[in-house]
Amino acid sequence: MTIRRFSATAFAAALLIPGLAACNNTGTAGAGASATPAASGSIAPSGTPAGDAKQALLDSTNAIRDGNFRFTMSGAGSTAEGQVHEPTQSAEMRMTIGDPSSDLMMKLDLVHYKPDSWVKLELGGKAAASVPGIKNLNLGKYQHLDQTRIKGNRALGFDFDKVDPAGSAVLTQGITEVRKTGDGAYAGTVDVSKAAEAGSLDPAVITALGAQAQSVPFSAKVDPQGRLSELVLQIPAAGQSAAQDVKISYTDYGNAAAAQKPPADQVVEAPAEFYNLFN
């Protein structure tokens, strides 16, 4: 199966390095819950039927498929931002997992310019020195990746046929209840139990949610052109993870810049230890 996004690293990297899950698994407390959503088919305060509200959100993800936008994501102690530029078959994402006070902090700068990919990795925190093969990882350099070794890799791969880094189209298809709360604003619940492929939620978190995964509160905003600008999932506490908000934003539709290839003097071929870290 081809994994279509590299965004999963931002939210599931704790699964990639032994010990990181224990160090950074408390999550970020949710910013607050929305009011109880209107039942499906009910009338929103503005007079918009809930069915029309859901269709508006489904339609709001259409522009993402054009592959020309900037995005940000945050949640579970991680942040990510970057751009996708389908006209040049290029994309870039910069991610931070954890913080300097964590036992382990990871920063990744991923650049894809078809047919090549590069990743610059930085590690920090008290446990960084114990990462397997750290002496051979060429930290601070861009690692040129062998495409045959990252095919199907959720952390390092990217499929330009499916360019949404957060899988918002998948998420909105799971909306179970929705109402319009204002001009270009919506709220309701979404079933994330079948949204593991969205890329913005760790499948392990979805599993831990159990029945709660079928009715996760969300809020959303669209821009004046009806394009999705913000989606916030209010994830309940589950297992060892605290309640948290996962926030996804899209901007600069049609105006994103092409990714920049790293300078040749900053590039090395990725060693075996680098691939082992992400397998």
Side-chain angles (χ1 to χ4, degrees), residues 40-63:
S40 178
S42 63
I43 303 299
S46 64
T48 303
D52 291 348
K54 179 174 181 178
Q55 190 60 51
L57 288 179
L58 291 173
D59 293 344
S60 75
T61 66
N62 291 340

Side-chain angles (χ1 to χ4, degrees), residues 59-242:
D59 293 344
S60 75
T61 66
N62 291 340
I64 298 173
R65 290 196 290 270
D66 293 336
N68 192 331
F69 55 86
R70 296 187 60 82
F71 62 90
T72 63
M73 295 188 286
S74 62
S78 303
T79 60
E81 57 94 15
Q83 69 265 5
V84 176
H85 194 253
E86 174 66 23
T88 57
Q89 294 276 278
S90 68
E92 183 173 7
M93 177 182 279
R94 292 162 295 280
M95 292 176 284
T96 300
I97 301 120
D99 58 61
S101 64
S102 304
D103 283 351
L104 187 61
M105 178 185 71
M106 174 188 289
K107 289 186 177 181
L108 289 167
D109 185 352
L110 299 99
V111 179
H112 295 271
Y113 212 116
K114 201 171 182 179
D116 292 299
S117 300
W118 304 263
V119 181
K120 182 166 68 173
L121 171 67
E122 297 180 34
L123 296 174
K126 294 177 291 185
S130 64
V131 172
I134 189 170
K135 293 182 180 179
N136 297 321
L137 289 177
N138 294 308
L139 299 181
K141 292 278 190 178
Y142 281 92
Q143 319 275 328
H144 181 253
L145 301 177
D146 180 346
Q147 296 297 305
T148 65
R149 300 186 70 171
I150 66 171
K151 186 176 182 180
N153 188 306
R154 289 188 69 92
L156 302 176
F158 191 81
D159 184 351
F160 283 97
D161 292 328
K162 300 174 182 177
V163 296
D164 185 357
S168 292
V170 175
L171 291 169
T172 55
Q173 287 168 9
I175 289 174
T176 53
E177 296 179 333
V178 62
R179 71 188 189 283
K180 189 172 184 179
T181 58
D183 188 15
Y186 302 85
T189 58
V190 58
D191 182 353
V192 301
S193 64
K194 299 174 183 171
E197 274 299 298
S200 49
L201 291 177
D202 182 353
V205 171
I206 296 175
T207 299
L209 285 171
Q212 293 184 100
Q214 298 175 18
S215 57
V216 171
F218 80 92
S219 63
K221 297 178 181 178
V222 301
D223 66 14
Q225 288 73 44
R227 302 170 300 195
L228 185 65
S229 60
E230 180 182 286
L231 178 63
V232 180
L233 303 175
Q234 297 165 3
I235 309 298
Q240 296 180 346
S241 297

